[in-house]
Amino acid sequence: MDVSRSPHTRRARQAGASRDRAARLIARSATAQPRLRGEPAPSTPPYAAQPSLSHGILAVFGEVRSLLLPTAVALQRGEVEDLLALDPDHRVRWRTRPISLGISSEVLNGVDCALAAPSHPAVRAIGTVARRGVVVGGRVLQSSARCTVVRSAHDKRQGWDHYLARAGVLEVIAKVSDATSARLTEGFLATRGGPTLDLESITAGLVNDIGMRRLGRAPLRAGTTRLRWAARIGDVDSPRVSFRLLDDVVRAALIVVPSEPELMDAQRFCEDLAVHDWLLTVLTDAIERADLAGPASPEATEIIAPVLQHLAHLWLPEAHTPPELRGLWTQLQADAALTAEWRNSVAHLRNRVMMAMWSATRPNRIGYEV
């Protein structure tokens, strides 16, 4: 008897293939998430379509980490596509104008964790977090993670195959009330560490996966910022945004929208907001360091000039924001005057460079005799 053709052998091979397939789907950084109990962290495919979520959406949570690419010149399209090739089976999305934008395919991380709920016990959530890389203007790298929190249709935990079929979705296994959405949103934005959903480690892991060390050296000093954001549907006529700085690195944004389509666009708006906040942060830091170096000093010019050369042209709010959410920039400009601050700061830096050039030639003019 040929055992290789027996039904038992075929079933064994099929089972083995299924196990191998599941093993390949393991999310590499899922172990960074706190797990409550049960089986290990899940397996996830590198890219999966967003399923229909016509029921039970409570909120969308996300985090965007922004930092300078360590390259002497801005990356071109081919270089960006190579950098963001997280999954060879899916191409990097690209836009050239008005400023270049590259977005990778999504990679999923499986999580079994708690969601903070102020004044209430933490809520258990199971599912996947979708993360992607973004490059703006060939200069700025963003590691972006998001998850859509929904009410589970089951009162018990399901197998990982169920959660893997719902890319970027966390299912809450708990009783849900009308206040649950606002409560979970408040808890996520207020959480600073602890055994709850940890998007910080997921965005940091993506930066490590991209492997920027091979690129070279950055032309200027620039730190990293993190924007933690949440979006939910609320009783509003048009989208609303609240933005605040928590410390020198972390920011928080809350977006409230009237319907689900705007909810799904929140990630792209927050990536746009995060890069412009990062630009302002780098500019402000350069001004402070130039002040310490002394007015019109060569050291101050060496700090200021690279910022003007490499970053000044990247300020384009709304350029890559979905049309339905561009009104949020109008609110931000009215409340925080971000563009006015940017223009004033850039003009200030350019004046300082001109004064430094004038000061450098002034002794020669005074000492010149006819």
Side-chain angles (χ1 to χ4, degrees):
M1 178 180 179
D2 186 355
V3 295
S4 66
R5 297 184 178 180
S6 69
H8 175 76
T9 302
R10 286 198 297 271
R11 287 194 296 270
R13 287 178 176 174
Q14 292 171 354
S18 297
R19 286 192 297 270
D20 292 341
R21 190 159 52 249
R24 288 194 300 271
L25 298 177
I26 291 294
R28 285 172 292 181
S29 62
T31 53
Q33 294 296 318
R35 296 190 298 277
L36 299 184
R37 59 182 182 277
E39 56 196 282
S43 54
T44 57
Y47 182 83
Q50 176 68 39
S52 174
L53 295 173
S54 59
H55 69 282
I57 295 183
L58 299 174
V60 182
F61 296 155
E63 178 168 306
V64 185
R65 180 181 294 257
S66 304
L67 60 156
L68 182 68
L69 283 168
T71 58
V73 296
L75 297 183
Q76 301 303 307
R77 178 172 182 172
E79 297 168 312
V80 171
E81 290 177 341
D82 289 341
L83 187 72
L84 297 181
L86 305 180
D87 175 16
D89 294 331
H90 293 85
R91 297 180 61 182
V92 172
R93 287 188 286 159
W94 179 262
R95 183 176 178 182
T96 302
R97 293 184 176 89
I99 190 170
S100 67
L101 176 73
I103 302 178
S104 76
S105 58
E106 290 184 333
V107 177
L108 305 183
N109 287 70
V111 297
D112 184 345
C113 63
L115 299 180
S119 304
H120 289 76
V123 174
R124 186 183 185 186
I126 310 168
T128 60
V129 173
R131 57 179 182 158
R132 68 187 186 187
V134 179
V135 172
V136 181
R139 275 294 179 197
V140 186
L141 173 68
Q142 294 184 296
S143 174
S144 180
R146 60 98 189 153
C147 55
T148 302
V149 181
V150 303
R151 178 182 60 82
S152 177
H154 310 276
D155 57 2
K156 294 183 180 179
R157 189 192 191 284
Q158 303 299 297
W160 278 116
D161 56 344
H162 167 79
Y163 300 110
L164 297 178
R166 299 164 65 77
V169 176
L170 293 186
E171 294 189 9
V172 168
I173 304 178
K175 291 183 179 181
V176 173
S177 68
D178 292 341
T180 301
S181 175
R183 189 178 300 136
L184 293 179
T185 298
E186 179 185 354
F188 174 74
L189 293 178
T191 300
R192 305 294 296 273
T196 54
L197 178 63
D198 181 14
L199 297 186
E200 177 184 357
S201 63
I202 291 179
T203 57
L206 180 58
V207 173
N208 293 332
D209 290 346
I210 290 174
M212 294 196 303
R213 293 181 180 178
R214 58 188 170 89
L215 294 178
R217 184 176 180 180
L220 57 99
R221 195 177 94 177
T224 298
T225 60
R226 291 170 34 224
L227 171 64
R228 181 188 297 130
W229 61 271
R232 62 178 177 85
I233 297 173
D235 186 17
V236 294
D237 295 329
S238 60
R240 306 294 301 172
V241 61
S242 173
F243 175 68
R244 54 198 173 99
L245 308 184
L246 301 182
D247 55 36
D248 291 341
V249 175
V250 183
R251 291 82 170 91
L254 170 63
I255 298 96
V256 181
V257 297
S259 63
E260 184 176 325
E262 294 95 343
L263 199 63
M264 296 299 102
D265 288 333
Q267 181 179 23
R268 180 81 283 275
F269 165 76
C270 289
E271 290 165 349
D272 206 10
L273 173 59
V275 74
H276 286 86
D277 169 70
W278 178 85
L279 287 168
L280 266 178
T281 302
V282 173
L283 199 68
T284 301
D285 177 69
I287 291 174
E288 293 176 353
R289 289 187 292 116
D291 287 342
L292 293 175
S297 67
E299 294 79 10
T301 303
E302 290 177 1
I303 295 171
I304 294 170
V307 175
L308 294 175
Q309 178 183 353
H310 298 289
L311 302 182
H313 64 290
L314 297 182
W315 188 267
L316 286 171
E318 302 182 38
H320 296 305
T321 295
E324 295 77 10
L325 296 183
R326 287 176 185 167
L328 297 179
W329 279 106
T330 303
Q331 297 175 42
L332 287 172
Q333 303 293 12
D335 296 340
L338 300 180
T339 294
E341 181 182 355
W342 174 263
R343 290 173 177 170
N344 289 340
S345 297
V346 168
H348 172 66
L349 291 182
R350 286 175 175 158
N351 289 338
R352 291 187 65 158
V353 171
M354 292 177 62
M355 288 300 299
M357 294 173 60
W358 179 80
S359 297
T361 60
R362 186 169 178 269
N364 294 333
R365 291 178 178 176
I366 293 177
Y368 179 75
E369 296 181 1
V370 178

